[in-house]
Amino acid sequence: MKNKAIVIPYIVITTLLVVYFSLNYNNLYVEIHDNLDQHFGWYKLLSDNNAWFTGSNEIIPHMGGISRGLFLPETQLVNIIFMISPTLLAHCILILTKFTIGYFSFVALSNYILSERYVPKLYIALLSISFALTSGNENLYIAQASIPLIAYLYIKYVREQKLLVLACILLYPILSELTRFGMFILFFMSVHCAYLLYIKDKRLKNSLVAICVLSIGYLCVEYRLILSSVLSNEDTIRKTMVLDSNGNFFKVFIQSFLQGQYHFSNYIYVFIPLVLYLMYYKHKERVAIPKAVYLIGFTIAFNSLIYALYTTTDIQYVFWDIVAPLDGWNFSRFIWFNSFLWHLLILMLLSYIYTLANKKVVLILILLQVLFTLAYPRYGNDFYRTIKCNYLTICENNLSYNEFYSTELFSSIKTELEYKSNEKVISFGMHPSILAYNGFYTMDGYHNAYYQNYKDKFRELIKPGLEESEKYTAYYDNWGGRAYAFSEEADYAPHRTPNTKPIKLPVDFDVARDMRIRYIISNEIIIPSEDFKLKGSYTDHKSPYKIRVYEITE
């Protein structure tokens, strides 16, 4: 088989993933932040309410009744997977899909740009595995994994002008996401287009066509975002977000250069020795390397520079004043492309220096990078967390997927309460997504772009708690993505050891009654008050929670 060095590693890793999911299916650990505490609740919410294909103005029973258009579109592959499969199974399918797309996208790009140079297929396969298994934000897994694919399609169309390739570019946004990846992809393509204009290259027209077609694709796929945010008369909370500019610029720059940003981190402690090793032979043998290779390194540094500026200065406000339609857009996410760029840089260096370097040293370093990707404890590394918590130790502050949502416990609570779907609740001492996932109409929640008017209204509800906490006041007023009932004494993050000390619930009950909130569902003991009465306490042997349900009195 001509490409067995590519196909066999893919089959091996895919088989290992299937075995891993099979052995741990009922005890999988999935990253909570931005996943279980947000997107997984949305998937279940949209499915339970048959709302995937409803109009953008339809009201979803969450956070006071939020427009369908502010949730995930049904036109992206990652959401289609969750649309047609139960959420935990969809998680497994997504990982396999992400690995497949990331692996073969990187292979395709490698083979195309190295058509006239030689790098062993095994090295390409290992680099593709390392890239495709990079952890991160699960809702954006496919968008991140498919970056090499759009690079391949763009380069191929600019060079060859094939209609089939252009059609693939049009459809590509199904794999991507506009605000967090698409706008950056279009920026990089536009820079290349400007370069072609500068050198008066006749392929400029092809570049312009590709950019226009990709833009149309994004507009079609992201039609809900366009209608509900960009063209809406209502402001989202992104209009009023205030970002803290703190930290040492040089420290943030170096850290982001070496590690990336946590949503798609790229710890390169193995890649750095490999780059230095290859560069040693480059200088020793005086190998001529094209400017494009240096440009990749420059782009990595540029992305880190933008991230450091965005994080430690107020440059974003200057940008937003100049480009008002992009007010609130987080342009520091150039940094999310660095994982791909580091892998591409290694690939390009190998194509020029491989024959000069020690083959065993190079192979060992690449293998170490693959192992590092799988084993290093970082955001989104569910493999590490699942193995650790199932086989090595008891994880106090990590819950498995089934423990986190505890569906049997909350099903029994709904049955005993004779809960009706229009009865509004708030949570306390836990993430509201747990209740949303289990079919409760939650007035609280986590959303980074809901309407400002509801943020203001919810603030009235939690005002007593904010008045007691400068930390949560700044957290809510400056950002507000988490509309939670905050308390300095309670922690909404998961924990196995229950708190036995009664806590005051710091909310305005007159506002709660005005919002028609009926139940408080709490993982904490709340100090008794005439404003509510205890309906019952609930536990389940499979769940770490001890839930108390309080009913607000008239």
PDB file of all heavy atoms in Angstrom, residues 146-171:
ATOM      1  N   SER A 146      -9.721  21.833  11.374  1.00  0.00           N
ATOM      2  CA  SER A 146      -9.838  21.972   9.918  1.00  0.00           C
ATOM      3  C   SER A 146      -9.042  23.147   9.358  1.00  0.00           C
ATOM      4  O   SER A 146      -9.139  23.437   8.160  1.00  0.00           O
ATOM      5  CB  SER A 146     -11.314  22.132   9.527  1.00  0.00           C
ATOM      6  OG  SER A 146     -11.862  23.331  10.071  1.00  0.00           O
ATOM      7  N   ILE A 147      -8.256  23.827  10.176  1.00  0.00           N
ATOM      8  CA  ILE A 147      -7.436  24.941   9.673  1.00  0.00           C
ATOM      9  C   ILE A 147      -6.530  24.505   8.507  1.00  0.00           C
ATOM     10  O   ILE A 147      -6.460  25.199   7.487  1.00  0.00           O
ATOM     11  CB  ILE A 147      -6.597  25.566  10.809  1.00  0.00           C
ATOM     12  CG1 ILE A 147      -7.501  26.263  11.827  1.00  0.00           C
ATOM     13  CG2 ILE A 147      -5.594  26.581  10.250  1.00  0.00           C
ATOM     14  CD1 ILE A 147      -6.778  26.741  13.067  1.00  0.00           C
ATOM     15  N   PRO A 148      -5.844  23.356   8.619  1.00  0.00           N
ATOM     16  CA  PRO A 148      -5.017  22.948   7.469  1.00  0.00           C
ATOM     17  C   PRO A 148      -5.831  22.727   6.201  1.00  0.00           C
ATOM     18  O   PRO A 148      -5.322  22.915   5.089  1.00  0.00           O
ATOM     19  CB  PRO A 148      -4.379  21.635   7.944  1.00  0.00           C
ATOM     20  CG  PRO A 148      -4.471  21.659   9.419  1.00  0.00           C
ATOM     21  CD  PRO A 148      -5.712  22.421   9.744  1.00  0.00           C
ATOM     22  N   LEU A 149      -7.087  22.331   6.359  1.00  0.00           N
ATOM     23  CA  LEU A 149      -7.935  22.077   5.192  1.00  0.00           C
ATOM     24  C   LEU A 149      -8.193  23.353   4.409  1.00  0.00           C
ATOM     25  O   LEU A 149      -8.054  23.373   3.172  1.00  0.00           O
ATOM     26  CB  LEU A 149      -9.249  21.437   5.624  1.00  0.00           C
ATOM     27  CG  LEU A 149     -10.276  21.200   4.501  1.00  0.00           C
ATOM     28  CD1 LEU A 149      -9.700  20.265   3.448  1.00  0.00           C
ATOM     29  CD2 LEU A 149     -11.571  20.645   5.074  1.00  0.00           C
ATOM     30  N   ILE A 150      -8.551  24.440   5.106  1.00  0.00           N
ATOM     31  CA  ILE A 150      -8.825  25.685   4.372  1.00  0.00           C
ATOM     32  C   ILE A 150      -7.530  26.250   3.795  1.00  0.00           C
ATOM     33  O   ILE A 150      -7.539  26.855   2.710  1.00  0.00           O
ATOM     34  CB  ILE A 150      -9.554  26.723   5.262  1.00  0.00           C
ATOM     35  CG1 ILE A 150     -10.031  27.903   4.423  1.00  0.00           C
ATOM     36  CG2 ILE A 150      -8.680  27.194   6.412  1.00  0.00           C
ATOM     37  CD1 ILE A 150     -10.958  27.548   3.294  1.00  0.00           C
ATOM     38  N   ALA A 151      -6.403  26.041   4.471  1.00  0.00           N
ATOM     39  CA  ALA A 151      -5.116  26.473   3.910  1.00  0.00           C
ATOM     40  C   ALA A 151      -4.830  25.712   2.620  1.00  0.00           C
ATOM     41  O   ALA A 151      -4.416  26.303   1.609  1.00  0.00           O
ATOM     42  CB  ALA A 151      -3.997  26.253   4.919  1.00  0.00           C
ATOM     43  N   TYR A 152      -5.069  24.412   2.646  1.00  0.00           N
ATOM     44  CA  TYR A 152      -4.875  23.572   1.458  1.00  0.00           C
ATOM     45  C   TYR A 152      -5.800  24.000   0.318  1.00  0.00           C
ATOM     46  O   TYR A 152      -5.359  24.165  -0.828  1.00  0.00           O
ATOM     47  CB  TYR A 152      -5.125  22.118   1.831  1.00  0.00           C
ATOM     48  CG  TYR A 152      -5.335  21.188   0.662  1.00  0.00           C
ATOM     49  CD1 TYR A 152      -4.279  20.832  -0.169  1.00  0.00           C
ATOM     50  CD2 TYR A 152      -6.600  20.662   0.397  1.00  0.00           C
ATOM     51  CE1 TYR A 152      -4.474  19.980  -1.245  1.00  0.00           C
ATOM     52  CE2 TYR A 152      -6.806  19.810  -0.673  1.00  0.00           C
ATOM     53  CZ  TYR A 152      -5.746  19.468  -1.489  1.00  0.00           C
ATOM     54  OH  TYR A 152      -5.954  18.636  -2.553  1.00  0.00           O
ATOM     55  N   LEU A 153      -7.089  24.208   0.622  1.00  0.00           N
ATOM     56  CA  LEU A 153      -8.056  24.586  -0.416  1.00  0.00           C
ATOM     57  C   LEU A 153      -7.724  25.951  -1.019  1.00  0.00           C
ATOM     58  O   LEU A 153      -7.804  26.132  -2.243  1.00  0.00           O
ATOM     59  CB  LEU A 153      -9.469  24.603   0.173  1.00  0.00           C
ATOM     60  CG  LEU A 153     -10.055  23.247   0.590  1.00  0.00           C
ATOM     61  CD1 LEU A 153     -11.369  23.444   1.324  1.00  0.00           C
ATOM     62  CD2 LEU A 153     -10.229  22.333  -0.617  1.00  0.00           C
ATOM     63  N   TYR A 154      -7.347  26.894  -0.169  1.00  0.00           N
ATOM     64  CA  TYR A 154      -7.032  28.237  -0.655  1.00  0.00           C
ATOM     65  C   TYR A 154      -5.795  28.212  -1.562  1.00  0.00           C
ATOM     66  O   TYR A 154      -5.805  28.773  -2.678  1.00  0.00           O
ATOM     67  CB  TYR A 154      -6.808  29.178   0.526  1.00  0.00           C
ATOM     68  CG  TYR A 154      -6.322  30.556   0.112  1.00  0.00           C
ATOM     69  CD1 TYR A 154      -7.182  31.459  -0.500  1.00  0.00           C
ATOM     70  CD2 TYR A 154      -4.995  30.933   0.324  1.00  0.00           C
ATOM     71  CE1 TYR A 154      -6.739  32.723  -0.891  1.00  0.00           C
ATOM     72  CE2 TYR A 154      -4.546  32.184  -0.059  1.00  0.00           C
ATOM     73  CZ  TYR A 154      -5.421  33.073  -0.662  1.00  0.00           C
ATOM     74  OH  TYR A 154      -4.980  34.315  -1.063  1.00  0.00           O
ATOM     75  N   ILE A 155      -4.736  27.573  -1.095  1.00  0.00           N
ATOM     76  CA  ILE A 155      -3.508  27.511  -1.894  1.00  0.00           C
ATOM     77  C   ILE A 155      -3.762  26.798  -3.216  1.00  0.00           C
ATOM     78  O   ILE A 155      -3.315  27.242  -4.275  1.00  0.00           O
ATOM     79  CB  ILE A 155      -2.383  26.803  -1.098  1.00  0.00           C
ATOM     80  CG1 ILE A 155      -2.003  27.619   0.134  1.00  0.00           C
ATOM     81  CG2 ILE A 155      -1.155  26.593  -1.975  1.00  0.00           C
ATOM     82  CD1 ILE A 155      -1.092  26.881   1.102  1.00  0.00           C
ATOM     83  N   LYS A 156      -4.514  25.706  -3.149  1.00  0.00           N
ATOM     84  CA  LYS A 156      -4.789  24.924  -4.360  1.00  0.00           C
ATOM     85  C   LYS A 156      -5.621  25.734  -5.359  1.00  0.00           C
ATOM     86  O   LYS A 156      -5.353  25.707  -6.571  1.00  0.00           O
ATOM     87  CB  LYS A 156      -5.523  23.636  -3.985  1.00  0.00           C
ATOM     88  CG  LYS A 156      -5.679  22.635  -5.136  1.00  0.00           C
ATOM     89  CD  LYS A 156      -6.307  21.355  -4.637  1.00  0.00           C
ATOM     90  CE  LYS A 156      -6.472  20.334  -5.754  1.00  0.00           C
ATOM     91  NZ  LYS A 156      -5.175  19.836  -6.258  1.00  0.00           N
ATOM     92  N   TYR A 157      -6.611  26.483  -4.860  1.00  0.00           N
ATOM     93  CA  TYR A 157      -7.438  27.264  -5.792  1.00  0.00           C
ATOM     94  C   TYR A 157      -6.639  28.417  -6.406  1.00  0.00           C
ATOM     95  O   TYR A 157      -6.750  28.693  -7.602  1.00  0.00           O
ATOM     96  CB  TYR A 157      -8.685  27.817  -5.101  1.00  0.00           C
ATOM     97  CG  TYR A 157      -9.549  28.579  -6.080  1.00  0.00           C
ATOM     98  CD1 TYR A 157     -10.332  27.913  -7.010  1.00  0.00           C
ATOM     99  CD2 TYR A 157      -9.536  29.979  -6.121  1.00  0.00           C
ATOM    100  CE1 TYR A 157     -11.089  28.597  -7.949  1.00  0.00           C
ATOM    101  CE2 TYR A 157     -10.289  30.675  -7.049  1.00  0.00           C
ATOM    102  CZ  TYR A 157     -11.058  29.981  -7.962  1.00  0.00           C
ATOM    103  OH  TYR A 157     -11.791  30.658  -8.897  1.00  0.00           O
ATOM    104  N   VAL A 158      -5.835  29.089  -5.588  1.00  0.00           N
ATOM    105  CA  VAL A 158      -5.032  30.193  -6.118  1.00  0.00           C
ATOM    106  C   VAL A 158      -4.090  29.692  -7.205  1.00  0.00           C
ATOM    107  O   VAL A 158      -3.891  30.365  -8.224  1.00  0.00           O
ATOM    108  CB  VAL A 158      -4.243  30.881  -4.981  1.00  0.00           C
ATOM    109  CG1 VAL A 158      -3.210  31.849  -5.544  1.00  0.00           C
ATOM    110  CG2 VAL A 158      -5.199  31.628  -4.046  1.00  0.00           C
ATOM    111  N   ARG A 159      -3.557  28.498  -7.022  1.00  0.00           N
ATOM    112  CA  ARG A 159      -2.609  27.956  -8.002  1.00  0.00           C
ATOM    113  C   ARG A 159      -3.300  27.358  -9.228  1.00  0.00           C
ATOM    114  O   ARG A 159      -2.835  27.516 -10.348  1.00  0.00           O
ATOM    115  CB  ARG A 159      -1.746  26.871  -7.349  1.00  0.00           C
ATOM    116  CG  ARG A 159      -0.740  27.394  -6.342  1.00  0.00           C
ATOM    117  CD  ARG A 159       0.040  26.219  -5.756  1.00  0.00           C
ATOM    118  NE  ARG A 159       1.057  26.658  -4.795  1.00  0.00           N
ATOM    119  CZ  ARG A 159       1.848  25.818  -4.124  1.00  0.00           C
ATOM    120  NH1 ARG A 159       1.726  24.503  -4.307  1.00  0.00           N
ATOM    121  NH2 ARG A 159       2.739  26.285  -3.273  1.00  0.00           N
ATOM    122  N   GLU A 160      -4.436  26.670  -9.004  1.00  0.00           N
ATOM    123  CA  GLU A 160      -5.001  25.844 -10.072  1.00  0.00           C
ATOM    124  C   GLU A 160      -6.360  26.320 -10.593  1.00  0.00           C
ATOM    125  O   GLU A 160      -6.795  25.898 -11.660  1.00  0.00           O
ATOM    126  CB  GLU A 160      -5.116  24.393  -9.592  1.00  0.00           C
ATOM    127  CG  GLU A 160      -3.791  23.800  -9.135  1.00  0.00           C
ATOM    128  CD  GLU A 160      -3.944  22.400  -8.586  1.00  0.00           C
ATOM    129  OE1 GLU A 160      -4.984  21.755  -8.859  1.00  0.00           O
ATOM    130  OE2 GLU A 160      -3.029  21.939  -7.868  1.00  0.00           O
ATOM    131  N   GLN A 161      -7.058  27.136  -9.810  1.00  0.00           N
ATOM    132  CA  GLN A 161      -8.347  27.716 -10.214  1.00  0.00           C
ATOM    133  C   GLN A 161      -9.356  26.633 -10.624  1.00  0.00           C
ATOM    134  O   GLN A 161      -9.999  26.732 -11.678  1.00  0.00           O
ATOM    135  CB  GLN A 161      -8.151  28.717 -11.356  1.00  0.00           C
ATOM    136  CG  GLN A 161      -9.304  29.707 -11.522  1.00  0.00           C
ATOM    137  CD  GLN A 161      -9.052  30.714 -12.614  1.00  0.00           C
ATOM    138  OE1 GLN A 161      -7.976  30.755 -13.205  1.00  0.00           O
ATOM    139  NE2 GLN A 161     -10.048  31.551 -12.896  1.00  0.00           N
ATOM    140  N   LYS A 162      -9.525  25.624  -9.792  1.00  0.00           N
ATOM    141  CA  LYS A 162     -10.473  24.553 -10.080  1.00  0.00           C
ATOM    142  C   LYS A 162     -11.816  24.833  -9.411  1.00  0.00           C
ATOM    143  O   LYS A 162     -11.876  25.187  -8.237  1.00  0.00           O
ATOM    144  CB  LYS A 162      -9.923  23.209  -9.611  1.00  0.00           C
ATOM    145  CG  LYS A 162      -8.737  22.721 -10.423  1.00  0.00           C
ATOM    146  CD  LYS A 162      -8.302  21.343  -9.983  1.00  0.00           C
ATOM    147  CE  LYS A 162      -7.156  20.822 -10.850  1.00  0.00           C
ATOM    148  NZ  LYS A 162      -6.718  19.468 -10.436  1.00  0.00           N
ATOM    149  N   LEU A 163     -12.897  24.637 -10.176  1.00  0.00           N
ATOM    150  CA  LEU A 163     -14.234  24.949  -9.687  1.00  0.00           C
ATOM    151  C   LEU A 163     -14.617  24.065  -8.502  1.00  0.00           C
ATOM    152  O   LEU A 163     -15.270  24.524  -7.556  1.00  0.00           O
ATOM    153  CB  LEU A 163     -15.254  24.775 -10.821  1.00  0.00           C
ATOM    154  CG  LEU A 163     -16.688  25.236 -10.521  1.00  0.00           C
ATOM    155  CD1 LEU A 163     -16.706  26.713 -10.166  1.00  0.00           C
ATOM    156  CD2 LEU A 163     -17.597  24.958 -11.722  1.00  0.00           C
ATOM    157  N   LEU A 164     -14.221  22.794  -8.516  1.00  0.00           N
ATOM    158  CA  LEU A 164     -14.535  21.892  -7.412  1.00  0.00           C
ATOM    159  C   LEU A 164     -13.898  22.378  -6.116  1.00  0.00           C
ATOM    160  O   LEU A 164     -14.521  22.306  -5.041  1.00  0.00           O
ATOM    161  CB  LEU A 164     -14.049  20.479  -7.741  1.00  0.00           C
ATOM    162  CG  LEU A 164     -14.284  19.419  -6.648  1.00  0.00           C
ATOM    163  CD1 LEU A 164     -15.764  19.280  -6.348  1.00  0.00           C
ATOM    164  CD2 LEU A 164     -13.684  18.074  -7.066  1.00  0.00           C
ATOM    165  N   VAL A 165     -12.675  22.871  -6.209  1.00  0.00           N
ATOM    166  CA  VAL A 165     -11.998  23.404  -5.017  1.00  0.00           C
ATOM    167  C   VAL A 165     -12.741  24.630  -4.502  1.00  0.00           C
ATOM    168  O   VAL A 165     -12.915  24.805  -3.290  1.00  0.00           O
ATOM    169  CB  VAL A 165     -10.530  23.753  -5.339  1.00  0.00           C
ATOM    170  CG1 VAL A 165      -9.850  24.387  -4.124  1.00  0.00           C
ATOM    171  CG2 VAL A 165      -9.769  22.508  -5.782  1.00  0.00           C
ATOM    172  N   LEU A 166     -13.204  25.481  -5.404  1.00  0.00           N
ATOM    173  CA  LEU A 166     -13.960  26.674  -5.004  1.00  0.00           C
ATOM    174  C   LEU A 166     -15.256  26.278  -4.310  1.00  0.00           C
ATOM    175  O   LEU A 166     -15.673  26.923  -3.334  1.00  0.00           O
ATOM    176  CB  LEU A 166     -14.251  27.539  -6.229  1.00  0.00           C
ATOM    177  CG  LEU A 166     -14.822  28.939  -5.946  1.00  0.00           C
ATOM    178  CD1 LEU A 166     -13.826  29.773  -5.150  1.00  0.00           C
ATOM    179  CD2 LEU A 166     -15.188  29.637  -7.251  1.00  0.00           C
ATOM    180  N   ALA A 167     -15.896  25.226  -4.801  1.00  0.00           N
ATOM    181  CA  ALA A 167     -17.122  24.737  -4.153  1.00  0.00           C
ATOM    182  C   ALA A 167     -16.828  24.258  -2.732  1.00  0.00           C
ATOM    183  O   ALA A 167     -17.619  24.492  -1.798  1.00  0.00           O
ATOM    184  CB  ALA A 167     -17.725  23.610  -4.982  1.00  0.00           C
ATOM    185  N   CYS A 168     -15.688  23.613  -2.552  1.00  0.00           N
ATOM    186  CA  CYS A 168     -15.290  23.164  -1.208  1.00  0.00           C
ATOM    187  C   CYS A 168     -15.027  24.357  -0.290  1.00  0.00           C
ATOM    188  O   CYS A 168     -15.347  24.308   0.901  1.00  0.00           O
ATOM    189  CB  CYS A 168     -14.049  22.279  -1.292  1.00  0.00           C
ATOM    190  SG  CYS A 168     -14.329  20.681  -2.086  1.00  0.00           S
ATOM    191  N   ILE A 169     -14.452  25.420  -0.826  1.00  0.00           N
ATOM    192  CA  ILE A 169     -14.228  26.639  -0.039  1.00  0.00           C
ATOM    193  C   ILE A 169     -15.568  27.228   0.395  1.00  0.00           C
ATOM    194  O   ILE A 169     -15.719  27.681   1.534  1.00  0.00           O
ATOM    195  CB  ILE A 169     -13.414  27.663  -0.857  1.00  0.00           C
ATOM    196  CG1 ILE A 169     -11.976  27.172  -1.041  1.00  0.00           C
ATOM    197  CG2 ILE A 169     -13.413  29.033  -0.173  1.00  0.00           C
ATOM    198  CD1 ILE A 169     -11.127  28.048  -1.939  1.00  0.00           C
ATOM    199  N   LEU A 170     -16.544  27.206  -0.488  1.00  0.00           N
ATOM    200  CA  LEU A 170     -17.879  27.719  -0.156  1.00  0.00           C
ATOM    201  C   LEU A 170     -18.506  26.926   0.991  1.00  0.00           C
ATOM    202  O   LEU A 170     -19.157  27.499   1.874  1.00  0.00           O
ATOM    203  CB  LEU A 170     -18.779  27.652  -1.385  1.00  0.00           C
ATOM    204  CG  LEU A 170     -20.240  28.098  -1.193  1.00  0.00           C
ATOM    205  CD1 LEU A 170     -20.311  29.583  -0.848  1.00  0.00           C
ATOM    206  CD2 LEU A 170     -21.058  27.791  -2.432  1.00  0.00           C
ATOM    207  N   LEU A 171     -18.287  25.615   0.983  1.00  0.00           N
ATOM    208  CA  LEU A 171     -18.888  24.746   2.005  1.00  0.00           C
ATOM    209  C   LEU A 171     -18.052  24.662   3.281  1.00  0.00           C
ATOM    210  O   LEU A 171     -18.545  24.188   4.311  1.00  0.00           O
ATOM    211  CB  LEU A 171     -19.077  23.339   1.433  1.00  0.00           C
ATOM    212  CG  LEU A 171     -20.067  23.210   0.270  1.00  0.00           C
ATOM    213  CD1 LEU A 171     -20.055  21.794  -0.273  1.00  0.00           C
ATOM    214  CD2 LEU A 171     -21.470  23.612   0.695  1.00  0.00           C
TER     215      LEU A 171
END
